[in-house]
Amino acid sequence: MRSFLACLVLVTSLVAPVIARAQPRPEDVQAAAAAFAEGQRAQLRGSYAQAADLFELADRSAPSAAALRSAIRNHRAAGHLSRAATLALRAQRLYPDDADTRAVADEVIAASSSSLARMRVTCEPACSLAIDGRAATETSATEIDLFVDPGERRVVASWPGREAVSESVAIEAGAERTLEMRAPEPTPEPVVAPEPEPVVETEPAPMDEVIVQPAPPADDGGITPWVFGIGAGLTAIALGAGIASGVDTLSARDAYENDPTRERYEDGVDRQWRTNGLFIGAAALGIATVVLAFFTDWDGEPEEQRAETTRPWLVASPEGAMIGIEQSFGGGT
């Protein structure tokens, strides 16, 4: 019994990542196209700061040299020289063979290097970085290369589950500075000894009140049908939650299309990940429930006590899969 459950857990853990990797993300491409088009309109209006944010949003949704070049140009036009130069470093690293992108990046770095300061930060392990209270990275990294405005800068590195580490740095224009940020050891939680349970003394029952319980029937090695029922119920709950989350995600998408902002886009992405996770969980539970069905002792009761015969069934199609139970009463279905 234990070896079977261990095998079932292993099968579920192997199936779930495969399903997750197979999920297409066409909404990312659509979001990038919408953000890029809105960024072009903002650029034509002269709203360079807004256009730069929209082009960065497009590049995060579906990375492209064109979106990154546009973000660099608009940050520079808006006077955000440190951000433009930092993105130029990224463009040099990601698109070294793209002539247009390399030309824009080299020009911005050459024009800004004398008025800005360059900072290289290494983290152990990978960290998220903030400069003067503003996020400087979009994802955790072990090596971070960026430009900052000269002066007194406060650098904060953070890790999940650990205390953040901060350092104040005075840096001059045209200078370069290297920082090493190491995560502190996690603080161990205090161990609280459980209180002993009180001992309750009971009087022995009189002999005429002693009830002899019949011995439980011997386990024939099969799984009780209740386990299958619980698995089917959990699968239905997870599927229902996934459908509800999908409706919520579509609502967030409509809200973003009506008013495309970074906050609405990131909220929609979070909801999409939640929906994908629920459907993946429902699929994994469904597979596990089907496997359980073939090891369930459906006919474990004696003939005189059993009113029906129960058999599991599975139907698969390109649109999905269905599981259920077939019951026969008195030789009929």
mmCIF file of all heavy atoms in Angstrom, residues 59-109:
data_model
loop_
_atom_site.group_PDB
_atom_site.id
_atom_site.type_symbol
_atom_site.label_atom_id
_atom_site.label_comp_id
_atom_site.label_asym_id
_atom_site.label_seq_id
_atom_site.Cartn_x
_atom_site.Cartn_y
_atom_site.Cartn_z
ATOM 1 N N ASP A 59 8.578 45.024 -24.018
ATOM 2 C CA ASP A 59 9.789 44.199 -24.034
ATOM 3 C C ASP A 59 9.735 43.108 -22.978
ATOM 4 O O ASP A 59 10.212 42.000 -23.203
ATOM 5 C CB ASP A 59 11.012 45.096 -23.810
ATOM 6 C CG ASP A 59 12.311 44.314 -23.874
ATOM 7 O OD1 ASP A 59 12.597 43.731 -24.937
ATOM 8 O OD2 ASP A 59 13.026 44.264 -22.862
ATOM 9 N N ARG A 60 9.141 43.398 -21.810
ATOM 10 C CA ARG A 60 9.015 42.362 -20.790
ATOM 11 C C ARG A 60 8.021 41.288 -21.206
ATOM 12 O O ARG A 60 8.195 40.114 -20.901
ATOM 13 C CB ARG A 60 8.575 42.981 -19.461
ATOM 14 C CG ARG A 60 9.675 43.707 -18.721
ATOM 15 C CD ARG A 60 9.296 43.943 -17.271
ATOM 16 N NE ARG A 60 8.066 44.720 -17.156
ATOM 17 C CZ ARG A 60 8.020 46.048 -17.136
ATOM 18 N NH1 ARG A 60 9.140 46.743 -17.246
ATOM 19 N NH2 ARG A 60 6.886 46.675 -17.021
ATOM 20 N N SER A 61 6.948 41.681 -21.911
ATOM 21 C CA SER A 61 5.941 40.705 -22.314
ATOM 22 C C SER A 61 6.484 39.780 -23.389
ATOM 23 O O SER A 61 6.292 38.556 -23.324
ATOM 24 C CB SER A 61 4.692 41.428 -22.828
ATOM 25 O OG SER A 61 4.162 42.271 -21.832
ATOM 26 N N ALA A 62 7.125 40.342 -24.399
ATOM 27 C CA ALA A 62 7.720 39.555 -25.483
ATOM 28 C C ALA A 62 8.995 40.268 -25.899
ATOM 29 O O ALA A 62 8.960 41.210 -26.702
ATOM 30 C CB ALA A 62 6.764 39.427 -26.664
ATOM 31 N N PRO A 63 10.141 39.892 -25.345
ATOM 32 C CA PRO A 63 11.382 40.623 -25.586
ATOM 33 C C PRO A 63 11.686 40.783 -27.070
ATOM 34 O O PRO A 63 11.567 39.849 -27.859
ATOM 35 C CB PRO A 63 12.440 39.745 -24.906
ATOM 36 C CG PRO A 63 11.695 39.010 -23.845
ATOM 37 C CD PRO A 63 10.338 38.758 -24.416
ATOM 38 N N SER A 64 12.066 42.024 -27.440
ATOM 39 C CA SER A 64 12.426 42.307 -28.831
ATOM 40 C C SER A 64 13.388 43.485 -28.854
ATOM 41 O O SER A 64 13.336 44.376 -27.992
ATOM 42 C CB SER A 64 11.183 42.631 -29.665
ATOM 43 O OG SER A 64 10.624 43.876 -29.287
ATOM 44 N N ALA A 65 14.261 43.499 -29.845
ATOM 45 C CA ALA A 65 15.238 44.585 -29.977
ATOM 46 C C ALA A 65 14.536 45.897 -30.267
ATOM 47 O O ALA A 65 14.944 46.959 -29.778
ATOM 48 C CB ALA A 65 16.231 44.241 -31.087
ATOM 49 N N ALA A 66 13.457 45.878 -31.068
ATOM 50 C CA ALA A 66 12.751 47.106 -31.427
ATOM 51 C C ALA A 66 12.141 47.768 -30.197
ATOM 52 O O ALA A 66 12.238 48.989 -30.023
ATOM 53 C CB ALA A 66 11.672 46.804 -32.462
ATOM 54 N N ALA A 67 11.505 46.986 -29.332
ATOM 55 C CA ALA A 67 10.899 47.561 -28.136
ATOM 56 C C ALA A 67 11.967 48.119 -27.198
ATOM 57 O O ALA A 67 11.796 49.193 -26.609
ATOM 58 C CB ALA A 67 10.075 46.492 -27.417
ATOM 59 N N LEU A 68 13.094 47.412 -27.068
ATOM 60 C CA LEU A 68 14.159 47.889 -26.187
ATOM 61 C C LEU A 68 14.787 49.165 -26.726
ATOM 62 O O LEU A 68 15.082 50.108 -25.971
ATOM 63 C CB LEU A 68 15.206 46.792 -26.023
ATOM 64 C CG LEU A 68 16.283 47.018 -24.958
ATOM 65 C CD1 LEU A 68 15.661 47.297 -23.602
ATOM 66 C CD2 LEU A 68 17.212 45.809 -24.876
ATOM 67 N N ARG A 69 15.001 49.242 -28.051
ATOM 68 C CA ARG A 69 15.544 50.480 -28.631
ATOM 69 C C ARG A 69 14.604 51.657 -28.383
ATOM 70 O O ARG A 69 15.047 52.764 -28.028
ATOM 71 C CB ARG A 69 15.737 50.306 -30.142
ATOM 72 C CG ARG A 69 16.913 49.475 -30.552
ATOM 73 C CD ARG A 69 17.270 49.722 -32.021
ATOM 74 N NE ARG A 69 16.123 49.578 -32.899
ATOM 75 C CZ ARG A 69 15.754 48.447 -33.492
ATOM 76 N NH1 ARG A 69 16.451 47.337 -33.252
ATOM 77 N NH2 ARG A 69 14.713 48.399 -34.304
ATOM 78 N N SER A 70 13.306 51.436 -28.564
ATOM 79 C CA SER A 70 12.340 52.524 -28.364
ATOM 80 C C SER A 70 12.310 52.970 -26.910
ATOM 81 O O SER A 70 12.182 54.170 -26.620
ATOM 82 C CB SER A 70 10.946 52.060 -28.807
ATOM 83 O OG SER A 70 10.930 51.760 -30.185
ATOM 84 N N ALA A 71 12.429 52.021 -25.971
ATOM 85 C CA ALA A 71 12.461 52.385 -24.556
ATOM 86 C C ALA A 71 13.690 53.234 -24.244
ATOM 87 O O ALA A 71 13.609 54.233 -23.509
ATOM 88 C CB ALA A 71 12.441 51.124 -23.696
ATOM 89 N N ILE A 72 14.835 52.881 -24.803
ATOM 90 C CA ILE A 72 16.061 53.657 -24.577
ATOM 91 C C ILE A 72 15.902 55.077 -25.110
ATOM 92 O O ILE A 72 16.213 56.065 -24.425
ATOM 93 C CB ILE A 72 17.260 52.947 -25.239
ATOM 94 C CG1 ILE A 72 17.538 51.606 -24.565
ATOM 95 C CG2 ILE A 72 18.500 53.835 -25.197
ATOM 96 C CD1 ILE A 72 18.564 50.757 -25.285
ATOM 97 N N ARG A 73 15.422 55.210 -26.328
ATOM 98 C CA ARG A 73 15.282 56.542 -26.940
ATOM 99 C C ARG A 73 14.328 57.425 -26.140
ATOM 100 O O ARG A 73 14.596 58.615 -25.910
ATOM 101 C CB ARG A 73 14.782 56.399 -28.380
ATOM 102 C CG ARG A 73 15.796 55.788 -29.348
ATOM 103 C CD ARG A 73 15.313 55.957 -30.768
ATOM 104 N NE ARG A 73 16.221 55.384 -31.754
ATOM 105 C CZ ARG A 73 16.008 54.253 -32.419
ATOM 106 N NH1 ARG A 73 14.898 53.567 -32.194
ATOM 107 N NH2 ARG A 73 16.884 53.809 -33.305
ATOM 108 N N ASN A 74 13.193 56.884 -25.719
ATOM 109 C CA ASN A 74 12.202 57.691 -25.021
ATOM 110 C C ASN A 74 12.635 58.034 -23.598
ATOM 111 O O ASN A 74 12.329 59.119 -23.108
ATOM 112 C CB ASN A 74 10.858 56.973 -25.018
ATOM 113 C CG ASN A 74 10.132 57.114 -26.346
ATOM 114 O OD1 ASN A 74 9.387 58.064 -26.563
ATOM 115 N ND2 ASN A 74 10.367 56.170 -27.254
ATOM 116 N N HIS A 75 13.345 57.132 -22.916
ATOM 117 C CA HIS A 75 13.895 57.489 -21.601
ATOM 118 C C HIS A 75 14.900 58.627 -21.745
ATOM 119 O O HIS A 75 14.939 59.546 -20.919
ATOM 120 C CB HIS A 75 14.570 56.264 -20.971
ATOM 121 C CG HIS A 75 13.644 55.413 -20.168
ATOM 122 N ND1 HIS A 75 12.881 55.896 -19.132
ATOM 123 C CD2 HIS A 75 13.347 54.076 -20.257
ATOM 124 C CE1 HIS A 75 12.169 54.920 -18.604
ATOM 125 N NE2 HIS A 75 12.426 53.801 -19.274
ATOM 126 N N ARG A 76 15.698 58.588 -22.789
ATOM 127 C CA ARG A 76 16.672 59.650 -23.006
ATOM 128 C C ARG A 76 15.973 60.964 -23.310
ATOM 129 O O ARG A 76 16.347 62.021 -22.776
ATOM 130 C CB ARG A 76 17.612 59.266 -24.151
ATOM 131 C CG ARG A 76 18.746 60.259 -24.374
ATOM 132 C CD ARG A 76 19.616 59.812 -25.539
ATOM 133 N NE ARG A 76 20.776 60.679 -25.692
ATOM 134 C CZ ARG A 76 21.657 60.573 -26.677
ATOM 135 N NH1 ARG A 76 21.496 59.606 -27.591
ATOM 136 N NH2 ARG A 76 22.691 61.386 -26.755
ATOM 137 N N ALA A 77 14.909 60.905 -24.132
ATOM 138 C CA ALA A 77 14.164 62.130 -24.455
ATOM 139 C C ALA A 77 13.458 62.694 -23.228
ATOM 140 O O ALA A 77 13.279 63.912 -23.110
ATOM 141 C CB ALA A 77 13.152 61.839 -25.560
ATOM 142 N N ALA A 78 13.047 61.808 -22.298
ATOM 143 C CA ALA A 78 12.367 62.265 -21.085
ATOM 144 C C ALA A 78 13.344 62.735 -20.019
ATOM 145 O O ALA A 78 12.920 63.209 -18.956
ATOM 146 C CB ALA A 78 11.505 61.136 -20.527
ATOM 147 N N GLY A 79 14.640 62.615 -20.257
ATOM 148 C CA GLY A 79 15.635 63.044 -19.290
ATOM 149 C C GLY A 79 16.017 61.978 -18.280
ATOM 150 O O GLY A 79 16.732 62.264 -17.317
ATOM 151 N N HIS A 80 15.563 60.734 -18.492
ATOM 152 C CA HIS A 80 15.913 59.640 -17.592
ATOM 153 C C HIS A 80 17.216 58.994 -18.085
ATOM 154 O O HIS A 80 17.231 57.870 -18.596
ATOM 155 C CB HIS A 80 14.789 58.595 -17.565
ATOM 156 C CG HIS A 80 13.456 59.163 -17.208
ATOM 157 N ND1 HIS A 80 12.261 58.535 -17.516
ATOM 158 C CD2 HIS A 80 13.120 60.319 -16.567
ATOM 159 C CE1 HIS A 80 11.254 59.270 -17.082
ATOM 160 N NE2 HIS A 80 11.746 60.359 -16.500
ATOM 161 N N LEU A 81 18.311 59.719 -17.907
ATOM 162 C CA LEU A 81 19.564 59.265 -18.504
ATOM 163 C C LEU A 81 20.079 57.972 -17.874
ATOM 164 O O LEU A 81 20.596 57.095 -18.572
ATOM 165 C CB LEU A 81 20.613 60.375 -18.376
ATOM 166 C CG LEU A 81 20.284 61.695 -19.091
ATOM 167 C CD1 LEU A 81 21.442 62.677 -18.935
ATOM 168 C CD2 LEU A 81 19.989 61.444 -20.556
ATOM 169 N N SER A 82 19.954 57.840 -16.540
ATOM 170 C CA SER A 82 20.476 56.636 -15.899
ATOM 171 C C SER A 82 19.703 55.400 -16.333
ATOM 172 O O SER A 82 20.294 54.339 -16.560
ATOM 173 C CB SER A 82 20.427 56.784 -14.375
ATOM 174 O OG SER A 82 19.097 56.979 -13.934
ATOM 175 N N ARG A 83 18.390 55.547 -16.487
ATOM 176 C CA ARG A 83 17.601 54.398 -16.947
ATOM 177 C C ARG A 83 17.905 54.081 -18.403
ATOM 178 O O ARG A 83 18.008 52.911 -18.789
ATOM 179 C CB ARG A 83 16.101 54.691 -16.778
ATOM 180 C CG ARG A 83 15.188 53.505 -17.119
ATOM 181 C CD ARG A 83 15.516 52.314 -16.276
ATOM 182 N NE ARG A 83 14.686 51.162 -16.598
ATOM 183 C CZ ARG A 83 14.894 49.926 -16.173
ATOM 184 N NH1 ARG A 83 15.946 49.688 -15.384
ATOM 185 N NH2 ARG A 83 14.113 48.931 -16.514
ATOM 186 N N ALA A 84 18.055 55.107 -19.228
ATOM 187 C CA ALA A 84 18.379 54.877 -20.640
ATOM 188 C C ALA A 84 19.726 54.177 -20.770
ATOM 189 O O ALA A 84 19.874 53.237 -21.562
ATOM 190 C CB ALA A 84 18.382 56.204 -21.393
ATOM 191 N N ALA A 85 20.721 54.608 -19.989
ATOM 192 C CA ALA A 85 22.045 53.990 -20.076
ATOM 193 C C ALA A 85 22.034 52.563 -19.533
ATOM 194 O O ALA A 85 22.717 51.679 -20.057
ATOM 195 C CB ALA A 85 23.059 54.834 -19.307
ATOM 196 N N THR A 86 21.240 52.307 -18.483
ATOM 197 C CA THR A 86 21.134 50.947 -17.944
ATOM 198 C C THR A 86 20.508 50.009 -18.969
ATOM 199 O O THR A 86 20.970 48.873 -19.165
ATOM 200 C CB THR A 86 20.300 50.950 -16.655
ATOM 201 O OG1 THR A 86 20.962 51.762 -15.671
ATOM 202 C CG2 THR A 86 20.132 49.546 -16.107
ATOM 203 N N LEU A 87 19.453 50.457 -19.647
ATOM 204 C CA LEU A 87 18.845 49.643 -20.693
ATOM 205 C C LEU A 87 19.807 49.451 -21.862
ATOM 206 O O LEU A 87 19.786 48.413 -22.536
ATOM 207 C CB LEU A 87 17.540 50.282 -21.175
ATOM 208 C CG LEU A 87 16.389 50.297 -20.168
ATOM 209 C CD1 LEU A 87 15.175 50.980 -20.775
ATOM 210 C CD2 LEU A 87 16.033 48.884 -19.726
ATOM 211 N N ALA A 88 20.649 50.454 -22.113
ATOM 212 C CA ALA A 88 21.638 50.315 -23.184
ATOM 213 C C ALA A 88 22.640 49.202 -22.862
ATOM 214 O O ALA A 88 23.070 48.457 -23.751
ATOM 215 C CB ALA A 88 22.364 51.640 -23.393
ATOM 216 N N LEU A 89 23.024 49.076 -21.589
ATOM 217 C CA LEU A 89 23.893 47.959 -21.194
ATOM 218 C C LEU A 89 23.212 46.623 -21.469
ATOM 219 O O LEU A 89 23.833 45.666 -21.947
ATOM 220 C CB LEU A 89 24.236 48.066 -19.711
ATOM 221 C CG LEU A 89 25.178 49.197 -19.295
ATOM 222 C CD1 LEU A 89 25.293 49.248 -17.774
ATOM 223 C CD2 LEU A 89 26.552 49.011 -19.919
ATOM 224 N N ARG A 90 21.926 46.577 -21.166
ATOM 225 C CA ARG A 90 21.179 45.344 -21.431
ATOM 226 C C ARG A 90 21.112 45.055 -22.923
ATOM 227 O O ARG A 90 21.237 43.907 -23.355
ATOM 228 C CB ARG A 90 19.774 45.476 -20.844
ATOM 229 C CG ARG A 90 18.889 44.273 -21.091
ATOM 230 C CD ARG A 90 17.510 44.507 -20.519
ATOM 231 N NE ARG A 90 16.609 43.422 -20.832
ATOM 232 C CZ ARG A 90 15.305 43.427 -20.577
ATOM 233 N NH1 ARG A 90 14.761 44.492 -19.993
ATOM 234 N NH2 ARG A 90 14.555 42.405 -20.897
ATOM 235 N N ALA A 91 20.907 46.091 -23.734
ATOM 236 C CA ALA A 91 20.835 45.903 -25.184
ATOM 237 C C ALA A 91 22.158 45.389 -25.738
ATOM 238 O O ALA A 91 22.187 44.531 -26.624
ATOM 239 C CB ALA A 91 20.442 47.218 -25.857
ATOM 240 N N GLN A 92 23.272 45.906 -25.230
ATOM 241 C CA GLN A 92 24.578 45.411 -25.673
ATOM 242 C C GLN A 92 24.756 43.931 -25.350
ATOM 243 O O GLN A 92 25.332 43.180 -26.139
ATOM 244 C CB GLN A 92 25.694 46.221 -25.007
ATOM 245 C CG GLN A 92 25.857 47.626 -25.541
ATOM 246 C CD GLN A 92 26.991 48.357 -24.830
ATOM 247 O OE1 GLN A 92 27.372 48.010 -23.715
ATOM 248 N NE2 GLN A 92 27.523 49.388 -25.462
ATOM 249 N N ARG A 93 24.237 43.521 -24.191
ATOM 250 C CA ARG A 93 24.409 42.133 -23.774
ATOM 251 C C ARG A 93 23.488 41.185 -24.541
ATOM 252 O O ARG A 93 23.895 40.079 -24.900
ATOM 253 C CB ARG A 93 24.121 42.017 -22.271
ATOM 254 C CG ARG A 93 24.381 40.629 -21.700
ATOM 255 C CD ARG A 93 24.161 40.605 -20.206
ATOM 256 N NE ARG A 93 22.772 40.802 -19.826
ATOM 257 C CZ ARG A 93 22.267 41.916 -19.335
ATOM 258 N NH1 ARG A 93 23.047 42.975 -19.143
ATOM 259 N NH2 ARG A 93 20.999 42.013 -19.011
ATOM 260 N N LEU A 94 22.257 41.620 -24.828
ATOM 261 C CA LEU A 94 21.281 40.723 -25.451
ATOM 262 C C LEU A 94 21.364 40.708 -26.971
ATOM 263 O O LEU A 94 21.080 39.681 -27.598
ATOM 264 C CB LEU A 94 19.865 41.127 -25.025
ATOM 265 C CG LEU A 94 19.516 40.962 -23.548
ATOM 266 C CD1 LEU A 94 18.089 41.401 -23.289
ATOM 267 C CD2 LEU A 94 19.712 39.520 -23.101
ATOM 268 N N TYR A 95 21.709 41.840 -27.577
ATOM 269 C CA TYR A 95 21.681 41.937 -29.044
ATOM 270 C C TYR A 95 23.015 42.455 -29.584
ATOM 271 O O TYR A 95 23.079 43.516 -30.210
ATOM 272 C CB TYR A 95 20.538 42.854 -29.497
ATOM 273 C CG TYR A 95 19.200 42.450 -28.937
ATOM 274 C CD1 TYR A 95 18.619 43.185 -27.905
ATOM 275 C CD2 TYR A 95 18.520 41.338 -29.418
ATOM 276 C CE1 TYR A 95 17.383 42.820 -27.375
ATOM 277 C CE2 TYR A 95 17.291 40.965 -28.904
ATOM 278 C CZ TYR A 95 16.728 41.707 -27.882
ATOM 279 O OH TYR A 95 15.506 41.340 -27.361
ATOM 280 N N PRO A 96 24.110 41.737 -29.352
ATOM 281 C CA PRO A 96 25.417 42.238 -29.799
ATOM 282 C C PRO A 96 25.558 42.257 -31.323
ATOM 283 O O PRO A 96 26.381 43.010 -31.848
ATOM 284 C CB PRO A 96 26.404 41.253 -29.162
ATOM 285 C CG PRO A 96 25.608 39.996 -28.980
ATOM 286 C CD PRO A 96 24.216 40.443 -28.656
ATOM 287 N N ASP A 97 24.762 41.460 -32.033
ATOM 288 C CA ASP A 97 24.884 41.378 -33.489
ATOM 289 C C ASP A 97 23.841 42.209 -34.223
ATOM 290 O O ASP A 97 23.812 42.201 -35.452
ATOM 291 C CB ASP A 97 24.764 39.910 -33.932
ATOM 292 C CG ASP A 97 25.874 39.050 -33.335
ATOM 293 O OD1 ASP A 97 26.984 39.575 -33.144
ATOM 294 O OD2 ASP A 97 25.609 37.861 -33.050
ATOM 295 N N ASP A 98 22.968 42.897 -33.491
ATOM 296 C CA ASP A 98 21.961 43.756 -34.114
ATOM 297 C C ASP A 98 22.571 45.155 -34.288
ATOM 298 O O ASP A 98 22.797 45.867 -33.308
ATOM 299 C CB ASP A 98 20.702 43.815 -33.250
ATOM 300 C CG ASP A 98 19.551 44.521 -33.946
ATOM 301 O OD1 ASP A 98 19.745 45.673 -34.389
ATOM 302 O OD2 ASP A 98 18.463 43.927 -34.057
ATOM 303 N N ALA A 99 22.818 45.536 -35.524
ATOM 304 C CA ALA A 99 23.547 46.784 -35.793
ATOM 305 C C ALA A 99 22.794 47.999 -35.272
ATOM 306 O O ALA A 99 23.382 48.894 -34.654
ATOM 307 C CB ALA A 99 23.803 46.916 -37.296
ATOM 308 N N ASP A 100 21.475 48.085 -35.534
ATOM 309 C CA ASP A 100 20.693 49.249 -35.095
ATOM 310 C C ASP A 100 20.674 49.356 -33.577
ATOM 311 O O ASP A 100 20.866 50.440 -33.006
ATOM 312 C CB ASP A 100 19.266 49.149 -35.634
ATOM 313 C CG ASP A 100 19.218 49.276 -37.153
ATOM 314 O OD1 ASP A 100 20.175 49.831 -37.735
ATOM 315 O OD2 ASP A 100 18.228 48.811 -37.750
ATOM 316 N N THR A 101 20.435 48.239 -32.921
ATOM 317 C CA THR A 101 20.368 48.248 -31.459
ATOM 318 C C THR A 101 21.728 48.584 -30.864
ATOM 319 O O THR A 101 21.828 49.374 -29.914
ATOM 320 C CB THR A 101 19.894 46.875 -30.940
ATOM 321 O OG1 THR A 101 18.626 46.565 -31.530
ATOM 322 C CG2 THR A 101 19.753 46.874 -29.433
ATOM 323 N N ARG A 102 22.788 48.019 -31.412
ATOM 324 C CA ARG A 102 24.132 48.292 -30.894
ATOM 325 C C ARG A 102 24.500 49.764 -31.077
ATOM 326 O O ARG A 102 25.132 50.382 -30.203
ATOM 327 C CB ARG A 102 25.139 47.386 -31.609
ATOM 328 C CG ARG A 102 26.547 47.449 -31.007
ATOM 329 C CD ARG A 102 26.534 47.017 -29.557
ATOM 330 N NE ARG A 102 27.822 47.201 -28.937
ATOM 331 C CZ ARG A 102 28.641 46.192 -28.643
ATOM 332 N NH1 ARG A 102 28.272 44.946 -28.900
ATOM 333 N NH2 ARG A 102 29.791 46.419 -28.057
ATOM 334 N N ALA A 103 24.095 50.354 -32.196
ATOM 335 C CA ALA A 103 24.412 51.763 -32.443
ATOM 336 C C ALA A 103 23.733 52.665 -31.425
ATOM 337 O O ALA A 103 24.342 53.603 -30.881
ATOM 338 C CB ALA A 103 23.988 52.147 -33.862
ATOM 339 N N VAL A 104 22.439 52.411 -31.151
ATOM 340 C CA VAL A 104 21.713 53.221 -30.168
ATOM 341 C C VAL A 104 22.331 53.048 -28.784
ATOM 342 O O VAL A 104 22.553 54.032 -28.059
ATOM 343 C CB VAL A 104 20.224 52.818 -30.158
ATOM 344 C CG1 VAL A 104 19.498 53.496 -28.992
ATOM 345 C CG2 VAL A 104 19.563 53.189 -31.469
ATOM 346 N N ALA A 105 22.628 51.805 -28.402
ATOM 347 C CA ALA A 105 23.176 51.548 -27.075
ATOM 348 C C ALA A 105 24.553 52.193 -26.908
ATOM 349 O O ALA A 105 24.827 52.842 -25.888
ATOM 350 C CB ALA A 105 23.262 50.037 -26.840
ATOM 351 N N ASP A 106 25.412 52.047 -27.892
ATOM 352 C CA ASP A 106 26.756 52.632 -27.794
ATOM 353 C C ASP A 106 26.688 54.145 -27.701
ATOM 354 O O ASP A 106 27.452 54.772 -26.931
ATOM 355 C CB ASP A 106 27.589 52.217 -29.010
ATOM 356 C CG ASP A 106 27.921 50.735 -29.014
ATOM 357 O OD1 ASP A 106 27.716 50.082 -27.966
ATOM 358 O OD2 ASP A 106 28.374 50.217 -30.058
ATOM 359 N N GLU A 107 25.799 54.758 -28.469
ATOM 360 C CA GLU A 107 25.690 56.226 -28.463
ATOM 361 C C GLU A 107 25.244 56.732 -27.096
ATOM 362 O O GLU A 107 25.811 57.697 -26.562
ATOM 363 C CB GLU A 107 24.694 56.670 -29.530
ATOM 364 C CG GLU A 107 24.503 58.188 -29.571
ATOM 365 C CD GLU A 107 23.389 58.594 -30.516
ATOM 366 O OE1 GLU A 107 22.806 57.701 -31.177
ATOM 367 O OE2 GLU A 107 23.097 59.806 -30.576
ATOM 368 N N VAL A 108 24.227 56.074 -26.502
ATOM 369 C CA VAL A 108 23.715 56.522 -25.205
ATOM 370 C C VAL A 108 24.772 56.346 -24.119
ATOM 371 O O VAL A 108 24.978 57.236 -23.276
ATOM 372 C CB VAL A 108 22.434 55.734 -24.857
ATOM 373 C CG1 VAL A 108 22.023 55.990 -23.407
ATOM 374 C CG2 VAL A 108 21.313 56.125 -25.803
ATOM 375 N N ILE A 109 25.468 55.233 -24.110
ATOM 376 C CA ILE A 109 26.482 54.996 -23.085
ATOM 377 C C ILE A 109 27.650 55.973 -23.235
ATOM 378 O O ILE A 109 28.155 56.525 -22.247
ATOM 379 C CB ILE A 109 26.973 53.542 -23.156
ATOM 380 C CG1 ILE A 109 25.846 52.593 -22.733
ATOM 381 C CG2 ILE A 109 28.198 53.331 -22.273
ATOM 382 C CD1 ILE A 109 26.178 51.140 -22.893
#
